Amino acid sequence: MQLRIGNGYDIHRLVPGRPLILGGQQLDHPEGLGLDGHSDADVLVHAIMDALLGALSLGDIGKYFPPDDPRWKGADSLVLLEQVVALVAERGWSITNVDSVVVAERPKLKPHIAAMRAAIAQRMGLDPDQVGVKATTNEQLGAEGREEGISCHAVALLHRP
Ligand code: MG
């Protein structure tokens, strides 16, 4: 069996007047902040997409969904994820698992983790136990700690017979 591993990283700014969408779930930030971006700015799904593309050296999401393309304005990132999963499948690879960690000071993500995993797994054609989503604060350090943004790191493992 052949194996491939990829890693992904993304960060988006927290701003007023935008929804806060993570793992396809709309969350409430205590200050009413949301993530800025051309699409829905779902930083968790973006990091997973980059991990999948990276595993096959296919480039990054900016290549497939450029931020200056009006087609992706306000796009549901879970729909973009489906397209990346299709690219992986077209090349004969299966996804073994993905894992991720979201770096956010607030809101508390723990109550939403199960729903995020279920939504991501469903769009990827996986079981939720193949989709790891973890959350950490940044101990009030750095951009995430100052709530200037939310970032996410992800890895993906692929296999082929
Ligand atoms: Mg992004």
Side-chain angles (χ1 to χ4, degrees), residues 9-12 36-37 39 41-43 46-47 61 77:
Y9 167 79
D10 197 21
I11 187 166
H12 282 260
D36 196 20
S39 68
D42 190 329
V43 71
H46 292 184
I61 60 173
S77 292

Side-chain angles (χ1 to χ4, degrees), residues 51-72:
L52 293 167
L53 291 169
L56 297 181
S57 306
L58 292 174
D60 58 43
I61 60 173
K63 174 176 162 184
Y64 297 90
F65 312 107
D68 55 358
D69 187 331
R71 276 183 299 169
W72 315 124

Side-chain angles (χ1 to χ4, degrees), residues 1-107:
M1 184 189 292
Q2 294 177 276
L3 299 173
R4 300 293 293 257
I5 191 169
N7 93 90
Y9 167 79
D10 197 21
I11 187 166
H12 282 260
R13 288 178 186 275
L14 275 170
V15 296
R18 285 274 302 181
L20 174 54
I21 295 172
L22 285 173
Q25 313 305 302
Q26 183 155 352
L27 311 183
D28 288 321
H29 188 280
E31 311 295 337
L33 303 177
L35 292 174
D36 196 20
H38 185 64
S39 68
D40 65 6
D42 190 329
V43 71
L44 165 57
V45 172
H46 292 184
I48 290 173
M49 290 162 67
D50 256 2
L52 293 167
L53 291 169
L56 297 181
S57 306
L58 292 174
D60 58 43
I61 60 173
K63 174 176 162 184
Y64 297 90
F65 312 107
D68 55 358
D69 187 331
R71 276 183 299 169
W72 315 124
K73 184 164 174 53
D76 176 350
S77 292
L78 288 174
V79 172
L80 308 185
L81 174 64
E82 287 179 331
Q83 295 183 38
V84 169
V85 169
L87 275 178
V88 169
E90 278 166 20
R91 284 162 174 77
W93 291 88
S94 299
I95 300 163
T96 312
N97 73 306
V98 297
D99 189 28
S100 59
V101 55
V102 180
V103 184
E105 213 62 31
R106 294 187 299 174

Side-chain angles (χ1 to χ4, degrees), residues 126-147:
L126 300 176
D127 289 329
D129 73 358
Q130 292 170 285
V131 179
V133 176
K134 309 185 299 300
T136 185
T137 72
N138 223 26
E139 297 289 339
Q140 299 178 7
L141 295 167
E144 297 95 327
R146 293 188 296 268
E147 295 189 85

